[in-house]
Amino acid sequence: MQLMRKALWMVLPVMLLAGACKKDEENVAPTDDNEAITTATLTLTNKANASDVVTATVENLNTTADFSKATLNLKANTTYSGVVTLLDKTKTPTLDATEEIKEKANEHLFVYTYTATTGAASSLAVTITDKDSNPAPGPYPIGLTTDMKTGAAGTGKLKVVLRHQPNTKNGTATPGSSDLDTDFSVVVQ
């Protein structure tokens, strides 16, 4: 009988530890997944002429992206108001991912980078006009709305990256992962 008690006292701690491990496994913190985006559209409206609207779309429904409608034809030395729209066309009906970005603005940052390919003076300066509600030292930029100012005539690429930064957003592109990383061709005339 005494031998059985010793064995029980040796097994009991192991059972308690095994139970504790299982409990920890059940309480794993949820992850905040990246957004599913199949379509990105930039719509730019000339600030001096509201009827001058330029739209470019990149669509990636399969394994290759369709860039056939991804060129921004802009006027030189002009300022445009920009809006980006994001869709997930893998869902039925199509999901407006832009709304989710708005709802989770404190976790997202668009990064716009222009690189001239012809015309040394060609430029496109992008200023983000919307902000999130992060507490100080925020608020930080979001990038769903922008002002874009062209310079001299030329061509280039506008890289648009949407950074997913749950609990790490600090106003820079460094933390997080990318929900979107695509290029739009730019022709400034």
Side-chain angles (χ1 to χ4, degrees), residues 28-36 100-101 103-108 163-169 176-179:
V28 172
T31 59
D32 197 357
D33 294 330
N34 287 61
E35 314 312 328
E100 188 159 340
I101 303 303
E103 289 171 14
K104 296 181 179 181
N106 289 1
E107 301 176 1
H108 291 92
R163 298 293 293 163
H164 187 91
Q165 305 174 320
N167 303 315
T168 60
K169 187 173 181 180
S177 59
S178 294
D179 284 329

Side-chain angles (χ1 to χ4, degrees), residues 113-141:
T113 308
Y114 178 73
T115 305
T117 53
T118 64
S122 175
S123 65
L124 179 66
V126 180
T127 304
I128 293 174
T129 57
D130 54 348
K131 302 257 187 218
D132 63 23
S133 61
N134 271 307
Y140 299 117

Side-chain angles (χ1 to χ4, degrees), residues 33-46:
D33 294 330
N34 287 61
E35 314 312 328
I37 299 169
T38 60
T39 309
T41 301
L42 284 178
T43 304
L44 305 181
T45 304
N46 185 330

Side-chain angles (χ1 to χ4, degrees), residues 83-96:
V83 176
V84 63
T85 305
L86 306 172
L87 302 175
D88 178 3
K89 290 187 176 180
T90 64
K91 303 280 193 270
T92 303
T94 297
L95 176 72
D96 183 354

Side-chain angles (χ1 to χ4, degrees), residues 11-166:
V11 171
L12 188 59
V14 172
M15 289 174 54
L16 289 173
L17 284 173
C21 290
K22 182 165 176 65
K23 190 173 185 178
D24 286 345
E25 289 173 0
E26 292 172 355
N27 293 328
V28 172
T31 59
D32 197 357
D33 294 330
N34 287 61
E35 314 312 328
I37 299 169
T38 60
T39 309
T41 301
L42 284 178
T43 304
L44 305 181
T45 304
N46 185 330
K47 284 193 159 193
N49 177 3
S51 65
D52 179 14
V53 178
V54 178
T55 301
T57 300
V58 173
E59 193 155 61
N60 190 1
L61 293 172
N62 301 311
T63 56
T64 58
D66 178 3
F67 291 95
S68 63
K69 299 175 191 166
T71 300
L72 293 164
N73 292 297
L74 306 174
K75 292 180 173 56
N77 303 307
T78 303
T79 301
Y80 295 85
S81 294
V83 176
V84 63
T85 305
L86 306 172
L87 302 175
D88 178 3
K89 290 187 176 180
T90 64
K91 303 280 193 270
T92 303
T94 297
L95 176 72
D96 183 354
T98 312
E99 288 306 313
E100 188 159 340
I101 303 303
K102 286 178 186 174
E103 289 171 14
K104 296 181 179 181
N106 289 1
E107 301 176 1
H108 291 92
L109 171 67
F110 281 90
V111 179
Y112 296 88
T113 308
Y114 178 73
T115 305
T117 53
T118 64
S122 175
S123 65
L124 179 66
V126 180
T127 304
I128 293 174
T129 57
D130 54 348
K131 302 257 187 218
D132 63 23
S133 61
N134 271 307
Y140 299 117
I142 304 166
L144 286 167
T145 61
T146 58
D147 281 343
M148 296 193 188
K149 182 167 178 36
T150 61
T155 62
K157 294 278 184 196
L158 178 62
K159 179 175 270 313
V160 179
V161 178
L162 174 58
R163 298 293 293 163
H164 187 91
Q165 305 174 320

